[in-house]
PDB file of all heavy atoms in Angstrom:
ATOM      1  N   PHE R 109      13.163 -96.360   0.839  1.00 74.00           N
ATOM      2  CA  PHE R 109      11.881 -96.226   1.522  1.00 74.00           C
ATOM      3  C   PHE R 109      10.820 -95.623   0.603  1.00 74.00           C
ATOM      4  O   PHE R 109       9.703 -96.151   0.495  1.00 74.00           O
ATOM      5  CB  PHE R 109      12.048 -95.360   2.770  1.00 74.00           C
ATOM      6  CG  PHE R 109      10.746 -94.988   3.423  1.00 74.00           C
ATOM      7  CD1 PHE R 109      10.058 -95.904   4.201  1.00 74.00           C
ATOM      8  CD2 PHE R 109      10.193 -93.724   3.229  1.00 74.00           C
ATOM      9  CE1 PHE R 109       8.846 -95.560   4.792  1.00 74.00           C
ATOM     10  CE2 PHE R 109       8.994 -93.379   3.822  1.00 74.00           C
ATOM     11  CZ  PHE R 109       8.313 -94.300   4.606  1.00 74.00           C
ATOM     12  N   ARG R 133     -18.821-108.497  -9.664  1.00 78.00           N
ATOM     13  CA  ARG R 133     -19.257-109.816 -10.127  1.00 78.00           C
ATOM     14  C   ARG R 133     -20.027-110.556  -9.053  1.00 78.00           C
ATOM     15  O   ARG R 133     -21.028-111.239  -9.326  1.00 78.00           O
ATOM     16  CB  ARG R 133     -18.035-110.613 -10.574  1.00 78.00           C
ATOM     17  CG  ARG R 133     -18.371-111.953 -11.208  1.00 78.00           C
ATOM     18  CD  ARG R 133     -17.142-112.569 -11.813  1.00 78.00           C
ATOM     19  NE  ARG R 133     -16.101-112.786 -10.801  1.00 78.00           N
ATOM     20  CZ  ARG R 133     -14.861-113.211 -11.089  1.00 78.00           C
ATOM     21  NH1 ARG R 133     -14.529-113.417 -12.355  1.00 78.00           N
ATOM     22  NH2 ARG R 133     -13.990-113.393 -10.131  1.00 78.00           N
ATOM     23  N   SER R 134     -19.571-110.422  -7.834  1.00 85.00           N
ATOM     24  CA  SER R 134     -20.251-111.117  -6.738  1.00 85.00           C
ATOM     25  C   SER R 134     -21.640-110.561  -6.508  1.00 85.00           C
ATOM     26  O   SER R 134     -22.607-111.324  -6.290  1.00 85.00           O
ATOM     27  CB  SER R 134     -19.409-110.979  -5.458  1.00 85.00           C
ATOM     28  OG  SER R 134     -20.089-111.534  -4.350  1.00 85.00           O
ATOM     29  N   ALA R 156     -33.286-109.717  -1.076  1.00 89.00           N
ATOM     30  CA  ALA R 156     -32.310-108.912  -0.303  1.00 89.00           C
ATOM     31  C   ALA R 156     -31.011-108.698  -1.081  1.00 89.00           C
ATOM     32  O   ALA R 156     -30.488-107.581  -1.144  1.00 89.00           O
ATOM     33  CB  ALA R 156     -32.034-109.578   1.045  1.00 89.00           C
ATOM     34  N   PRO R 212     -46.150-114.359 -18.967  1.00 85.00           N
ATOM     35  CA  PRO R 212     -45.466-114.580 -20.252  1.00 85.00           C
ATOM     36  C   PRO R 212     -44.291-113.607 -20.457  1.00 85.00           C
ATOM     37  O   PRO R 212     -43.257-113.993 -21.019  1.00 85.00           O
ATOM     38  CB  PRO R 212     -46.573-114.319 -21.269  1.00 85.00           C
ATOM     39  CG  PRO R 212     -47.841-114.593 -20.534  1.00 85.00           C
ATOM     40  CD  PRO R 212     -47.628-114.145 -19.144  1.00 85.00           C
ATOM     41  N   ARG R 249       4.854-105.648  -6.676  1.00 78.00           N
ATOM     42  CA  ARG R 249       5.578-106.432  -5.669  1.00 78.00           C
ATOM     43  C   ARG R 249       7.052-106.563  -6.054  1.00 78.00           C
ATOM     44  O   ARG R 249       7.947-106.460  -5.205  1.00 78.00           O
ATOM     45  CB  ARG R 249       4.926-107.803  -5.534  1.00 78.00           C
ATOM     46  CG  ARG R 249       5.546-108.631  -4.393  1.00 78.00           C
ATOM     47  CD  ARG R 249       4.880-109.986  -4.273  1.00 78.00           C
ATOM     48  NE  ARG R 249       3.482-109.838  -3.877  1.00 78.00           N
ATOM     49  CZ  ARG R 249       2.450-110.136  -4.653  1.00 78.00           C
ATOM     50  NH1 ARG R 249       2.650-110.595  -5.882  1.00 78.00           N
ATOM     51  NH2 ARG R 249       1.210-110.003  -4.213  1.00 78.00           N
ATOM     52  N   GLU R 250       7.299-106.792  -7.335  1.00 82.00           N
ATOM     53  CA  GLU R 250       8.690-106.853  -7.790  1.00 82.00           C
ATOM     54  C   GLU R 250       9.388-105.517  -7.599  1.00 82.00           C
ATOM     55  O   GLU R 250      10.575-105.465  -7.241  1.00 82.00           O
ATOM     56  CB  GLU R 250       8.721-107.258  -9.268  1.00 82.00           C
ATOM     57  CG  GLU R 250       8.302-108.698  -9.525  1.00 82.00           C
ATOM     58  CD  GLU R 250       8.320-109.028 -11.005  1.00 82.00           C
ATOM     59  OE1 GLU R 250       8.655-108.118 -11.799  1.00 82.00           O
ATOM     60  OE2 GLU R 250       8.006-110.192 -11.369  1.00 82.00           O
ATOM     61  N   GLU R 294      60.598 -88.812  22.962  1.00 86.00           N
ATOM     62  CA  GLU R 294      61.713 -87.926  22.613  1.00 86.00           C
ATOM     63  C   GLU R 294      61.714 -86.677  23.479  1.00 86.00           C
ATOM     64  O   GLU R 294      62.778 -86.210  23.927  1.00 86.00           O
ATOM     65  CB  GLU R 294      61.617 -87.546  21.137  1.00 86.00           C
ATOM     66  CG  GLU R 294      61.870 -88.711  20.183  1.00 86.00           C
ATOM     67  CD  GLU R 294      61.747 -88.280  18.731  1.00 86.00           C
ATOM     68  OE1 GLU R 294      61.511 -87.074  18.505  1.00 86.00           O
ATOM     69  OE2 GLU R 294      61.900 -89.133  17.843  1.00 86.00           O
ATOM     70  N   GLN R 297      62.957 -87.689  26.846  1.00 88.00           N
ATOM     71  CA  GLN R 297      64.418 -87.846  26.813  1.00 88.00           C
ATOM     72  C   GLN R 297      65.110 -86.489  26.738  1.00 88.00           C
ATOM     73  O   GLN R 297      66.120 -86.260  27.415  1.00 88.00           O
ATOM     74  CB  GLN R 297      64.808 -88.717  25.617  1.00 88.00           C
ATOM     75  CG  GLN R 297      64.327 -90.154  25.715  1.00 88.00           C
ATOM     76  CD  GLN R 297      64.636 -90.952  24.456  1.00 88.00           C
ATOM     77  OE1 GLN R 297      65.211 -90.418  23.497  1.00 88.00           O
ATOM     78  NE2 GLN R 297      64.250 -92.219  24.452  1.00 88.00           N
ATOM     79  N   ALA R 345     108.979 -51.804  63.725  1.00 71.00           N
ATOM     80  CA  ALA R 345     110.369 -51.294  63.646  1.00 71.00           C
ATOM     81  C   ALA R 345     110.367 -49.778  63.592  1.00 71.00           C
ATOM     82  O   ALA R 345     111.221 -49.121  64.244  1.00 71.00           O
ATOM     83  CB  ALA R 345     111.041 -51.863  62.405  1.00 71.00           C
ATOM     84  N   ASP R 364     110.633 -33.437  69.573  1.00 66.00           N
ATOM     85  CA  ASP R 364     109.907 -34.349  70.456  1.00 66.00           C
ATOM     86  C   ASP R 364     108.406 -34.340  70.139  1.00 66.00           C
ATOM     87  O   ASP R 364     107.757 -35.391  70.123  1.00 66.00           O
ATOM     88  CB  ASP R 364     110.160 -33.944  71.919  1.00 66.00           C
ATOM     89  CG  ASP R 364     109.525 -34.929  72.875  1.00 66.00           C
ATOM     90  OD1 ASP R 364     109.947 -36.103  72.887  1.00 66.00           O
ATOM     91  OD2 ASP R 364     108.559 -34.524  73.560  1.00 66.00           O
ATOM     92  N   LEU R 421      73.450 -68.119  71.636  1.00 90.00           N
ATOM     93  CA  LEU R 421      74.363 -68.965  70.885  1.00 90.00           C
ATOM     94  C   LEU R 421      74.602 -70.262  71.646  1.00 90.00           C
ATOM     95  O   LEU R 421      75.009 -70.249  72.810  1.00 90.00           O
ATOM     96  CB  LEU R 421      75.691 -68.244  70.656  1.00 90.00           C
ATOM     97  CG  LEU R 421      75.589 -66.854  69.982  1.00 90.00           C
ATOM     98  CD1 LEU R 421      76.961 -66.217  69.884  1.00 90.00           C
ATOM     99  CD2 LEU R 421      74.953 -66.986  68.612  1.00 90.00           C
ATOM    100  N   LEU R 437      78.054 -64.935  57.178  1.00 90.00           N
ATOM    101  CA  LEU R 437      76.629 -64.628  57.048  1.00 90.00           C
ATOM    102  C   LEU R 437      76.189 -63.623  58.101  1.00 90.00           C
ATOM    103  O   LEU R 437      75.475 -62.654  57.793  1.00 90.00           O
ATOM    104  CB  LEU R 437      75.819 -65.926  57.158  1.00 90.00           C
ATOM    105  CG  LEU R 437      74.293 -65.758  57.094  1.00 90.00           C
ATOM    106  CD1 LEU R 437      73.869 -65.080  55.799  1.00 90.00           C
ATOM    107  CD2 LEU R 437      73.585 -67.101  57.238  1.00 90.00           C
ATOM    108  N   LYS R 450      67.044 -49.687  59.521  1.00 87.00           N
ATOM    109  CA  LYS R 450      66.520 -48.702  60.477  1.00 87.00           C
ATOM    110  C   LYS R 450      65.907 -49.407  61.685  1.00 87.00           C
ATOM    111  O   LYS R 450      64.806 -49.096  62.134  1.00 87.00           O
ATOM    112  CB  LYS R 450      65.485 -47.796  59.817  1.00 87.00           C
ATOM    113  CG  LYS R 450      66.033 -46.958  58.671  1.00 87.00           C
ATOM    114  CD  LYS R 450      64.965 -46.061  58.082  1.00 87.00           C
ATOM    115  CE  LYS R 450      65.526 -45.249  56.908  1.00 87.00           C
ATOM    116  NZ  LYS R 450      64.489 -44.377  56.296  1.00 87.00           N
ATOM    117  N   GLN R 453      66.492 -53.116  67.485  1.00 91.00           N
ATOM    118  CA  GLN R 453      66.959 -54.315  68.168  1.00 91.00           C
ATOM    119  C   GLN R 453      67.283 -55.391  67.139  1.00 91.00           C
ATOM    120  O   GLN R 453      66.621 -55.504  66.115  1.00 91.00           O
ATOM    121  CB  GLN R 453      65.906 -54.849  69.143  1.00 91.00           C
ATOM    122  CG  GLN R 453      65.598 -53.908  70.300  1.00 91.00           C
ATOM    123  CD  GLN R 453      64.568 -54.490  71.245  1.00 91.00           C
ATOM    124  OE1 GLN R 453      63.986 -55.530  70.973  1.00 91.00           O
ATOM    125  NE2 GLN R 453      64.358 -53.813  72.369  1.00 91.00           N
ATOM    126  N   ARG R 492      73.845 -67.022  49.921  1.00 81.00           N
ATOM    127  CA  ARG R 492      72.942 -68.131  49.641  1.00 81.00           C
ATOM    128  C   ARG R 492      73.679 -69.252  48.907  1.00 81.00           C
ATOM    129  O   ARG R 492      73.569 -70.431  49.254  1.00 81.00           O
ATOM    130  CB  ARG R 492      71.755 -67.631  48.815  1.00 81.00           C
ATOM    131  CG  ARG R 492      70.742 -68.735  48.485  1.00 81.00           C
ATOM    132  CD  ARG R 492      69.711 -68.246  47.472  1.00 81.00           C
ATOM    133  NE  ARG R 492      69.014 -67.081  47.943  1.00 81.00           N
ATOM    134  CZ  ARG R 492      67.953 -67.115  48.745  1.00 81.00           C
ATOM    135  NH1 ARG R 492      67.491 -68.281  49.153  1.00 81.00           N
ATOM    136  NH2 ARG R 492      67.361 -65.994  49.124  1.00 81.00           N
ATOM    137  N   GLN R 503      67.069 -68.784  53.805  1.00 89.00           N
ATOM    138  CA  GLN R 503      65.781 -68.150  53.559  1.00 89.00           C
ATOM    139  C   GLN R 503      65.806 -66.719  54.064  1.00 89.00           C
ATOM    140  O   GLN R 503      66.385 -66.439  55.136  1.00 89.00           O
ATOM    141  CB  GLN R 503      64.649 -68.912  54.261  1.00 89.00           C
ATOM    142  CG  GLN R 503      64.388 -70.295  53.701  1.00 89.00           C
ATOM    143  CD  GLN R 503      63.277 -70.994  54.461  1.00 89.00           C
ATOM    144  OE1 GLN R 503      63.477 -71.438  55.590  1.00 89.00           O
ATOM    145  NE2 GLN R 503      62.108 -71.083  53.843  1.00 89.00           N
TER     146      GLN R 503
END
Side-chain angles (χ1 to χ4, degrees):
F109 171 77
R133 186 171 60 186
S134 175
R249 186 180 295 113
E250 291 179 0
E294 292 179 2
Q297 294 175 0
D364 185 64
L421 305 177
L437 178 58
K450 298 181 181 179
Q453 295 181 353
R492 181 190 303 276
Q503 293 179 286

